[in-house]
Amino acid sequence: MINNEKIEFSVKALIVKEGKFLALHRSTEISTLNELPGGRLEFGETAEQTVVKKVLEETNFSVEPIKLIDTWNFIKEKHQITGIIYLCKIKQGRFMLSYEHNNYEWLELNEESVSRMTFPFKERMKNWDMKSIMESSL
C-alpha cells in the first residue's frame, strides 16, 4: 500500500517592532487574511536556522530567535503541517517584500489584529499573553 500522506514541519516568526507585529499577505491567498513570516524546514536545518533563513528571504530582515512562543497544526485530507512560532528580534536589514507576498502590515498585538490572521495562527494567537510577549520583545 502506498502512503500518499504528507507531513511537513514549519517555523514562523513573530517579529515585534515598536509595539506592533509583522503580518504578510501571501500572493496566492484569495482572502485578505495574513500570515506570519517563515517557512518549512529543509533536511539538515535546525528550527532556528530555518526561521532566520526564511525571514531573510521573505523580508530582508536578519533576525535572532529570542523565545519559543507556541506550536500550531494545519491538517487537510492528506497533508499536515506542524510548526512552531518564535518571537524574533530584528538585528539588521531594510524591509523588502519577497515575490511570495503582495502586501504587509505592522499590526497591534490585540484581538482585532489577530482576527485578521489565517487559520491556524488566529486560533493560537487569541490565547497568547500579549503583555508578556511585548515585554519579552524589548
Side-chain angles (χ1 to χ4, degrees):
M1 179 179 204
I2 297 176
N3 184 347
N4 293 329
E5 297 160 346
K6 183 176 184 180
I7 300 173
E8 297 178 293
F9 189 79
S10 182
V11 184
K12 296 289 185 173
L14 181 72
I15 302 170
V16 178
K17 178 181 171 186
E18 299 172 5
K20 297 181 178 183
F21 73 96
L22 180 61
L24 306 178
H25 183 267
R26 185 166 290 283
S27 300
T28 58
E29 179 68 37
I30 296 170
S31 77
T32 59
L33 298 175
N34 297 304
E35 66 177 3
L36 297 172
R40 293 182 180 94
L41 257 73
E42 292 182 19
F43 184 80
E45 289 180 335
T46 66
E48 294 83 3
Q49 290 169 329
T50 298
V51 77
V52 168
K53 180 181 86 172
K54 293 298 185 179
V55 169
L56 184 62
E57 289 172 0
E58 294 181 357
T59 68
N60 199 44
F61 285 144
S62 174
V63 296
E64 175 185 353
I66 299 173
K67 179 180 177 182
L68 182 62
I69 297 176
D70 208 346
T71 63
W72 58 276
N73 290 284
F74 177 76
I75 303 171
K76 290 199 295 191
E77 188 176 314
K78 293 190 179 255
H79 186 212
Q80 175 178 345
I81 304 171
T82 295
I84 57 177
I85 302 169
Y86 278 103
L87 176 62
C88 291
K89 174 179 156 185
I90 299 171
K91 294 185 346 186
Q92 64 183 18
R94 173 175 260 173
F95 181 78
M96 186 171 22
L97 199 58
S98 77
Y99 71 91
E100 294 178 50
H101 299 92
N102 59 5
N103 198 13
Y104 71 96
E105 296 180 80
W106 288 96
L107 300 172
E108 300 284 339
L109 267 171
N110 60 34
E111 194 173 318
E112 180 185 336
S113 295
V114 167
S115 71
R116 296 168 58 190
M117 302 299 290
T118 58
F119 178 85
F121 305 114
K122 94 170 63 173
E123 294 303 311
R124 302 304 297 180
M125 294 172 79
K126 70 182 179 185
N127 297 315
W128 290 357
D129 179 353
M130 300 301 186
K131 183 178 178 190
S132 174
I133 290 171
M134 293 303 293
E135 289 170 357
S136 295
S137 71
L138 300 177

